[in-house]
């Protein structure tokens, strides 16, 4: 078993039970590396559930499979076993472990978000337009979306003079602010966070925690990996601890 | 002892994206003499989707694109596009004239080599207008206006619209091809190594134009390239081809970060 603690620090004062967002059961990921002729473990037999407005922290040492689990839920990695039943906004359910690729493409456009440390800057697109884009795609009028983008970029501490500039020329810290603003401008139903506080200054870190707190209050369910979990301690409801899998030479891991 | 692969979970039929596929190909096979260029390939593309096809030279990816463009009719297989007059019709069964009309009206293509798609010594605006003429437009003012619009949409510097492609840079020639391809607002845009051979900075700008067009017009695109970076930037889904067959198909980020087939792993690791 990988999952050895589920600490309940939950929801003081929440009267009605929140609706379920995700039920993960026995999810397992192993990588087969053909050029090494061996299997590399990702994570094994992970189970948990997540409700609206819940914040779940993934803990465990380096190599325990925390980021791998996030990427598997986003389906950048394909799992080998288990289910990850996602309850959509419209009340329907879909198993993220087996859903068709084109369904995943659709879910990524609104229902499921992923925040990483890295910005995929595009040439000749200004910071404010890059951030506004998810809202524009969702149907918000262009000027209103841009206004919201400026507000969020300002909250993350980006200099207003840089709003109309191209982020490809920005420093790493500035790019990360643009990246976060873009990823967080439109609240998804499920948000996956892969060390978003890395390389952030204090202003940006505070703005991020504030933004996450608002999203949580609005019902967004979150699963996060944090290098410094104390940054988000006030938001965490539960903790899923992953333990590192042994790498066995030419072994059949977990089968 | 050899490690046995642990199989990943099979994917289910689409549950959310239930619109009819825009493009559907089944069992497409083509031989050139002794060489089987395509060995029964299936392709499905949803409306508004960007499908990337990767593979080395000789993998069959360009043959497949030529079949999509109805330039070549394969030995076997069925091809349908979800457009009103042709729904449910096997496009490979159309006669040469019908294929040509369908190609002009519904399919745009950008080739790696601009000589394949353009008259190099005619004006750029004339190259774009030619598409419109073939479709039946004869009014000069209308031709010029629509050609200009297509060139602007392709980020072509409009002051140079009457210069012939032969006098333009490689990146500008590709923009003329793109303007010609989108002038009639095609149902399907095919891109055959559209940025191969361009300087890296120029390549990024052309890809940016393609991304913007895709976003603004929701054009369905099929992009063939041996350049994984180009595919990664553009595509929602990826098909990996080898020796005339599809060895792997998946979400673009998944194929590049968690490739399942030994050949794809080799391809991805070789390029990183």
């Amino acid at each position: 078993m990988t999952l050895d603690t589920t600490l309940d620090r939950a929801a003081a004062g929440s009267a009605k039970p929140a609706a379920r967002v995700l039920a993960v059961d026995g999810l397992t990921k192993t990588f087969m590396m053909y050029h090494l002729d061996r299997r590399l473990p990702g994570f094994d037999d992970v189970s948990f559930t997540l409700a609206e407005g819940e914040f779940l922290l993934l803990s465990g040492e380096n190599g325990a499979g925390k980021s791998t689990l996030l990427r598997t839920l986003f389906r950048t990695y394909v799992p080998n076993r288990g289910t990850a039943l996602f309850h959509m906004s419209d009340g329907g359910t879909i198993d993220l472990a087996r859903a068709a690729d084109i369904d995943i493409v659709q879910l990524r456009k609104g229902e499921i978000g992923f925040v990483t440390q890295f910005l995929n800057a595009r040439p000749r697109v200004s910071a404010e337009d890059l951030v506004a884009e998810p809202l524009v795609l969702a149907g918000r009028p262009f000027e209103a979306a841009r206004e919201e983008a400026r507000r969020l970029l300002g909250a993350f501490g980006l200099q207003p003079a840089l709003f109309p500039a191209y982020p490809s020329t920005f420093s790493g810290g500035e790019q990360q602010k643009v990246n976060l603003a873009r990823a967080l401008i439109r609240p998804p139903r499920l948000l996956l966070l892969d060390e978003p506080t890395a390389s952030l200054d204090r202003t940006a870190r505070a703005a991020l925690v504030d933004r996450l707190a608002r999203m949580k209050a609005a019902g967004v369910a979150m699963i996060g990996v944090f290098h410094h979990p104390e940054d988000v301690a006030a938001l965490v409801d539960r903790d899923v601890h992953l333990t590192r899998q042994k790498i066995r030479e030419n072994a059949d891991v977990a089968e | 002892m050899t490690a046995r692969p642990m199989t990943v979970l099979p994917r289910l039929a689409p549950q959310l994206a239930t619109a009819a596929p825009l493009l559907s190909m089944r069992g497409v096979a083509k031989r050139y003499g002794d060489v089987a260029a395509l060995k029964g390939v299936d392709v499905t593309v949803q409306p508004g989707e960007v499908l990337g096809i990767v593979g080395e030279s000789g993998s069959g990816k360009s043959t497949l694109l030529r079949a999509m463009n109805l330039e070549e009719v394969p030995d076997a297989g069925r091809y349908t596009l979800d457009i009103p007059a042709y729904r449910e019709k096997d496009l490979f069964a159309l006669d040469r004239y019908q294929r040509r009309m369908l190609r002009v009206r519904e399919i745009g293509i950008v080739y790696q080599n601009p000589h394949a798609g353009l008259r190099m010594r005619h004006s750029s605006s004339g190259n774009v207008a030619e598409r419109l003429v073939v479709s039946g437009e004869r009014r000069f003012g209308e031709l010029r206006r629509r050609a200009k619009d297509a060139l602007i949409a392709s980020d072509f510097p409009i002051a140079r619209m009457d210069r012939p492609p032969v006098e333009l840079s490689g990146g500008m020639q590709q923009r003329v091809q793109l303007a010609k391809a989108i002038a009639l607002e095609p149902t399907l845009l095919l891109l055959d190594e559209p940025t191969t051979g361009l300087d890296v900075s120029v390549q990024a700008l052309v890809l940016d134009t393609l991304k913007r067009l895709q976003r603004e017009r929701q054009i369905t695109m099929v992009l063939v390239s041996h350049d994984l970076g180009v595919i990664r930037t553009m595509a929602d889904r990826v098909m990996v081809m080898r020796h005339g067959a599809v060895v792997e198909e998946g979400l673009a980020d998944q194929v590049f970060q968690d490739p399942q087939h030994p050949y794809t792993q080799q391809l991805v690791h070789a390029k990183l």
Side-chain angles (χ1 to χ4, degrees):
Chain A
M1 274 300 276
T2 303
L3 184 70
D4 43 35
T5 51
T6 306
L7 301 173
D8 234 315
R9 289 178 227 162
S14 64
K16 58 174 185 196
R20 173 160 297 179
V21 172
L22 188 67
V24 173
D25 187 19
L27 201 65
T28 298
K29 175 62 187 168
T30 300
F31 296 93
M32 178 67 203
M33 311 300 272
Y34 287 97
H35 66 292
L36 301 175
D37 189 25
R38 74 204 265 188
R39 292 178 177 188
L40 299 176
F43 55 84
D44 183 34
D45 196 17
V46 170
S47 307
F48 61 87
T49 63
L50 186 69
E52 282 178 359
E54 266 195 307
F55 192 114
L56 193 143
L57 180 74
L58 295 180
S59 61
E61 58 189 311
N62 282 339
K66 304 185 296 287
S67 293
T68 305
L69 175 56
L70 289 182
R71 286 179 197 159
T72 304
L73 292 171
F74 199 60
R75 266 280 290 282
T76 297
Y77 297 157
V78 273
N80 307 89
R81 256 206 313 263
T83 54
L85 204 62
F86 179 61
H87 296 246
M88 296 176 283
S89 307
D90 67 1
T93 57
I94 187 165
D95 182 3
L96 301 178
R98 288 176 182 75
D101 293 326
I102 50 171
D103 285 349
I104 297 289
V105 170
Q106 196 157 318
L107 289 171
R108 287 177 177 183
K109 284 180 181 159
E111 295 261 305
I112 302 178
F114 196 109
V115 186
T116 61
Q117 307 172 41
F118 307 106
L119 175 73
N120 194 358
R122 296 204 305 269
R124 286 188 319 170
V125 182
S126 68
E128 59 192 18
D129 286 358
L130 203 59
V131 173
E133 192 177 271
L135 283 183
V136 174
L137 286 176
R140 186 83 65 92
F142 187 70
E143 258 321 306
R146 208 184 234 180
E147 196 54 45
E148 177 68 15
R150 292 193 191 110
R151 206 191 53 70
L152 200 53
L153 282 169
F156 280 115
L158 193 76
Q159 300 294 324
L162 294 179
F163 295 176
Y166 303 149
S168 36
T169 59
F170 290 6
S171 73
E174 287 162 347
Q175 289 202 357
Q176 176 62 344
K177 291 171 186 178
V178 177
N179 184 36
L180 286 173
R182 179 178 159 89
L184 301 176
I185 194 163
R186 184 176 178 224
R189 183 164 168 78
L190 172 64
L191 182 63
L192 307 167
L193 301 146
D194 192 3
E195 303 214 12
T197 50
S199 83
L200 285 185
D201 58 35
R202 236 179 42 197
T203 312
R205 195 169 302 181
L208 172 66
V209 173
D210 177 65
R211 183 76 184 171
L212 294 180
R214 284 163 194 268
M215 290 173 93
K216 178 174 155 64
V220 176
M222 297 183 229
I223 307 175
V225 177
F226 290 83
H227 198 63
H228 298 288
E230 59 275 15
D231 290 342
V232 291
L235 303 177
V236 174
D237 296 304
R238 283 186 299 134
D239 189 312
V240 166
H241 187 82
L242 300 179
T243 48
R244 193 170 183 158
Q245 305 286 302
K246 285 204 191 82
I247 299 175
R248 279 174 273 173
E249 282 296 315
N250 292 333
D252 292 351
V253 176
E255 199 175 69
Chain B
M1 189 178 147
T2 300
R4 274 185 304 122
M6 188 173 178
T7 50
V8 294
L9 291 167
R11 269 145 273 182
L12 302 172
Q15 172 187 337
L16 307 175
T18 48
L22 181 108
L23 178 157
S24 170
M25 279 185 154
R26 290 292 169 267
V28 177
K30 176 78 184 174
R31 296 191 71 88
Y32 296 108
D34 289 341
V35 183
L38 294 173
K39 303 171 183 165
V41 173
D42 294 346
V43 190
T44 304
V45 186
Q46 291 296 310
E49 194 183 24
V50 180
L51 176 73
I53 305 179
V54 293
E56 294 163 339
S57 12
S59 62
K61 60 190 195 303
S62 292
T63 307
L64 184 63
L65 203 77
R66 281 201 297 276
M68 283 179 188
N69 196 36
L70 294 169
E71 282 169 60
E72 226 172 317
V73 173
D75 307 327
R78 193 180 151 78
Y79 177 23
T80 56
L81 287 176
D82 189 34
I83 40 182
Y86 294 92
R87 210 161 277 153
E88 317 265 307
K89 277 196 186 129
D90 178 12
L91 305 181
F92 290 143
L94 298 178
D95 67 34
R96 188 187 288 265
Y97 172 77
Q98 289 173 312
R99 286 207 308 270
R100 177 169 154 75
M101 285 325 287
L102 181 73
R103 194 161 76 218
V104 168
R105 295 214 173 106
E106 305 288 349
I107 306 174
I109 188 162
V110 175
Y111 298 97
Q112 176 182 353
N113 182 351
H115 290 261
L118 299 175
R119 294 176 198 276
M120 299 301 282
R121 296 182 182 282
H122 292 207
S123 73
S124 296
S125 54
N127 267 284
V128 180
E130 188 190 297
R131 257 270 145 143
L132 302 161
V133 171
V134 177
S135 82
E137 180 60 62
R138 291 291 183 275
R139 294 164 295 177
F140 180 79
E142 192 63 10
L143 284 173
R144 187 142 176 100
R145 186 188 65 75
R146 287 173 66 186
K148 190 175 168 187
D149 286 349
L151 284 163
I152 290 171
S154 306
D155 295 321
F156 182 87
I158 211 65
R160 283 184 260 172
M161 69 184 270
D162 294 323
R163 300 256 300 271
V166 69
E167 294 176 11
L168 302 170
S169 67
M172 288 305 144
Q173 291 172 350
Q174 293 312 68
R175 293 185 188 283
V176 179
Q177 279 207 77
L178 181 60
K180 181 178 174 183
I182 63 168
L184 286 172
E185 308 203 339
T187 306
L188 177 65
L189 179 60
L190 305 175
L191 305 158
D192 188 4
E193 304 272 8
T195 59
T196 305
L198 300 178
D199 289 344
V200 175
S201 58
V202 176
Q203 171 174 314
L205 295 175
V206 172
L207 291 177
D208 186 48
T209 298
L210 287 170
K211 274 203 98 87
R212 182 178 52 73
L213 280 171
Q214 209 282 326
R215 202 163 61 239
E216 289 173 1
R217 305 186 178 195
Q218 303 283 299
I219 307 179
T220 308
M221 299 185 183
V222 178
L223 165 65
V224 161
S225 184
H226 72 280
D227 185 332
L228 301 188
V230 169
I231 298 281
R232 197 192 302 240
T233 308
M234 291 295 302
D236 301 307
R237 283 192 311 119
V238 172
M239 258 173 48
V240 183
M241 292 190 67
R242 188 189 196 196
H243 302 327
V246 177
V247 297
E248 180 163 355
E249 198 173 348
L251 292 165
D253 53 330
Q254 179 257 299
V255 169
F256 290 121
Q257 294 182 52
D258 187 18
Q260 298 302 311
H261 191 279
Y263 175 71
T264 316
Q265 289 195 358
Q266 191 190 324
L267 199 69
V268 168
H269 292 142
K271 304 278 165 147
L272 277 178

